[in-house]
């Protein structure tokens, strides 16, 4: 078989998996691997979780789709759970992260429009990643994903991530035109970059003082990844708008945009929509994911194993000539290298049986499922050490 019929957008590793269970994947030759990528922060409760398997099969036998022209019970249940966990008040469901961010950006447009701002601006961050649609591409800051897609939308003003003074400077420069700040609590694609402690709190305060919306993209950090339901909970704040996707469906496509009631109210019947968004299957799986994280204590496990992983990596890689910095929050861990190392992911998989990811060419990104145990942590550490050589 060749990939000649597929558009050439990815360069996949020569590995193909046929089965998964928990934190393990089996390839088509029967060999198994420890999965420290989780489909890029998606399969947070592990592969083939029995509760998810029965939710999907039961719902498939009942009803998959009716459209949003009818009331969807599972959608209401998932919205109720998400609002209870986050402190936000209303939800719109999409099918992906980029779409959820488009929903958030449309709310920001409406917010500006309601205030009579004709040319609204949104502050975004250097090294941000918000998706691949034309709108979210404009809000992102990654040369490779934007190359050739000009013109970018002019409504975004970029500031350095983690720099409160830069936000205040932009406020002086652009004044009344700014309607929102959009950011990731921890930048994922940008290299697992954490802002200084207190930054999100300061952004929250500045947004409140200036009447700007604080839009948090928790697509990668949400659903327990950092050891809390949502990363903003580490700083005791609540944003005005938050987007989710990735782990919310554990592999079933779903996205969500949550907002405070005052902001959500800007949508009225007909002003936004989605054919698939919020269908019974995806929402039932979303409910099941939240039940698993809650009832199986995965927030505590992610926090504890995340600390262990960070500490063990720092110990095992102390003084390594290629390692610049090791950082992380919960089970979102980055190892920044001084140079790109060729075939690192393939070496880790083939020689050490552990799947890892590299972002921005030179930062190893570890995103294991939230269910890993101490032995898994040791396997990840020895694979990383072994692959780095
Ligand atoms: C993955 C990701 C997106 C895009 O999600 P898609 O489902 O691929 O559209 C947006 N923002 C962040 C922070 C992400 O990690």
């Amino acid at each position: 078989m060749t990939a000649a019929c597929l558009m050439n957008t990815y360069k996949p590793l020569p590995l193909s998996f046929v089965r998964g269970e928990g934190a393990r994947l089996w390839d088509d030759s029967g060999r198994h691997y420890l999965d420290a990528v989780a489909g890029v922060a998606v399969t947070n409760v592990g592969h083939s979780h029995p509760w998810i398997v029965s939710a999907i099969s039961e719902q498939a036998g009942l009803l998959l789709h009716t459209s949003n022209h009818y009331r969807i019970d599972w959608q209401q249940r998932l919205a109720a759970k998400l609002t209870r966990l986050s402190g936000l008040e209303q939800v719109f469901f999409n099918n992906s992260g980029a779409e959820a961010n488009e929903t958030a950006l449309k709310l920001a447009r409406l917010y500006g429009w309601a205030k009579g701002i004709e040319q609204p601006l949104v502050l975004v961050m250097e090294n941000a990643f918000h998706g691949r649609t034309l709108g979210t591409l404009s809000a992102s800051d990654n040369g490779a994903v934007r190359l050739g897609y000009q013109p970018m939308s002019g409504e975004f003003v970029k500031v350095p991530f983690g720099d409160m003074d830069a936000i205040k400077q932009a406020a002086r420069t652009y004044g009344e035109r700014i309607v929102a700040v959009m950011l990731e609590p921890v930048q994922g694609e940008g290299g697992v970059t954490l802002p200084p402690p207190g930054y999100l709190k300061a952004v929250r305060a500045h947004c409140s003082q200036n009447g700007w919306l604080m839009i948090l993209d928790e697509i990668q950090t949400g659903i327990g990844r950092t050891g809390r339901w949502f990363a903003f909970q580490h700083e005791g704040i609540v944003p005005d708008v938050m987007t989710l996707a990735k782990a919310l469906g554990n592999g079933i496509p779903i996205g969500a945009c949550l907002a405070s009631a005052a902001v959500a109210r800007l949508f009225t019947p007909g002003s936004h929509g989605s054919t698939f968004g919020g269908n019974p299957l995806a929402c039932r799986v979303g409910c099941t994911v939240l039940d698993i994280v809650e009832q199986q204590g995965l927030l505590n496990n992610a926090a504890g194993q995340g600390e262990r992983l960070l500490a063990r990596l720092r110990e095992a890689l102390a003084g390594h000539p290629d390692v610049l910095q090791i950082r992380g929050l919960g089970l979102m861990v980055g190892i920044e290298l001084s140079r790109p190392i060729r075939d690192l992911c393939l070496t880790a998989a083939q020689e050490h049986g552990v799947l890892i990811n590299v972002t921005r060419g030179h930062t190893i990104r570890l995103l294991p499922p939230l269910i890993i145990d101490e032995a898994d942590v040791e396997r990840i550490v020895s694979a990383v050490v072994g692959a780095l050589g």
Side-chain angles (χ1 to χ4, degrees):
M1 248 193 308
T2 77
C5 302
L6 295 174
M7 291 200 194
N8 190 26
T9 55
Y10 281 89
K11 212 165 97 189
L13 294 173
L15 291 168
S16 181
F17 302 104
V18 292
R19 188 166 71 84
E21 198 184 305
R24 303 269 175 300
L25 280 171
W26 279 260
D27 71 12
D28 45 13
S29 71
R31 182 170 178 206
H32 70 88
Y33 303 78
L34 176 61
D35 181 4
V37 181
V40 194
V42 169
T43 53
N44 278 15
V45 305
H47 301 285
S48 306
H49 192 290
W51 296 9
I52 306 250
V53 173
S54 46
I56 292 173
S57 51
E58 240 180 81
Q59 195 58 38
L62 285 171
L63 186 65
L64 288 180
H65 179 82
T66 55
S67 90
N68 285 300
H69 295 294
Y70 306 95
R71 195 175 64 76
I72 299 171
D73 188 53
W74 282 107
Q75 199 179 106
Q76 295 184 340
R77 285 202 224 182
L78 181 55
K81 280 178 190 279
L82 287 172
T83 53
R84 172 176 62 80
L85 295 173
S86 66
L88 289 163
E89 290 159 299
Q90 292 193 311
V91 189
F92 181 87
F93 288 106
N94 299 94
N95 312 291
S96 67
E99 275 180 85
N101 282 338
E102 289 280 342
T103 302
L105 291 169
K106 285 177 81 172
L107 280 172
R109 285 262 181 109
L110 286 180
Y111 180 74
W113 185 67
K115 293 212 287 187
I117 299 171
E118 281 174 19
Q119 289 192 304
L121 293 174
V122 176
L123 296 189
V124 293
M125 301 293 144
E126 287 177 2
N127 292 321
F129 180 78
H130 296 298
R132 305 265 192 169
T133 60
L134 287 172
T136 58
L137 212 50
S138 296
S140 300
D141 180 34
N142 175 327
V145 307
R146 287 156 62 108
L147 185 67
Y149 297 114
Q150 282 74 10
M152 291 291 141
S153 162
E155 73 188 283
F156 299 102
V157 174
K158 207 169 298 162
V159 295
F161 183 54
D163 181 348
M164 204 49 224
D165 287 338
I167 290 181
K168 290 178 182 161
Q169 180 59 46
R172 287 191 289 272
T173 309
Y174 299 98
E176 304 286 290
R177 286 183 64 196
I178 298 171
V179 293
V181 182
M182 181 178 193
L183 71 164
E184 301 151 88
V186 178
Q187 292 186 330
E189 303 305 303
V192 193
T193 310
L194 286 91
Y199 176 68
L200 293 182
K201 214 172 193 162
V203 173
R204 170 68 280 179
H206 198 75
C207 286
S208 300
Q209 279 156 23
N210 291 275
W212 304 349
L213 299 182
M214 182 180 188
I215 304 175
L216 279 184
D217 177 343
E218 292 247 14
I219 290 166
Q220 191 160 146
T221 50
I223 320 295
R225 173 55 55 191
T226 72
R228 301 282 178 99
W229 280 109
F230 311 107
F232 70 74
Q233 292 169 331
H234 289 281
E235 293 214 0
I237 57 154
V238 182
D240 299 294
V241 179
M242 165 175 70
T243 53
L244 297 172
K246 293 203 162 94
L248 182 55
N250 210 59
I252 293 291
I254 184 170
C257 175
L258 287 77
S260 66
V263 176
R265 194 167 44 229
L266 294 162
F267 281 148
T268 50
S271 63
H272 193 42
S274 173
T275 298
F276 292 137
N279 74 61
L281 178 77
C283 289
R284 180 167 179 176
V285 171
C287 285
T288 309
V289 167
L290 300 182
D291 287 346
I292 295 168
V293 172
E294 199 157 36
Q295 292 174 36
Q296 302 194 339
L298 297 187
L299 298 182
N300 279 340
N301 196 59
Q305 300 301 350
E307 269 180 37
R308 180 190 306 277
L309 178 58
L310 208 53
R312 286 288 298 115
L313 285 167
R314 284 178 175 151
E315 208 171 85
L317 292 170
H320 193 291
D322 295 323
V323 175
L324 289 180
Q325 197 187 32
I326 304 173
R327 52 184 180 250
L329 189 62
L331 283 174
M332 191 170 179
V333 171
I335 305 163
E336 188 179 341
L337 306 175
S338 54
R339 59 187 179 99
I341 295 180
R342 260 190 76 224
D343 298 331
L344 195 61
C345 298
L346 193 59
T347 306
Q350 289 182 331
E351 290 174 21
H352 306 279
V354 176
L355 304 177
I356 62 170
N357 175 257
V358 169
T359 186
R360 292 262 154 153
H362 60 90
T363 299
I364 298 175
R365 180 170 48 164
L366 302 172
L367 299 163
L370 314 188
I371 56 170
I372 58 164
D373 61 20
E374 202 174 327
D376 296 328
V377 167
E378 290 309 317
R379 268 197 76 190
I380 295 169
V381 173
S382 58
V384 168
V385 172
L388 278 177

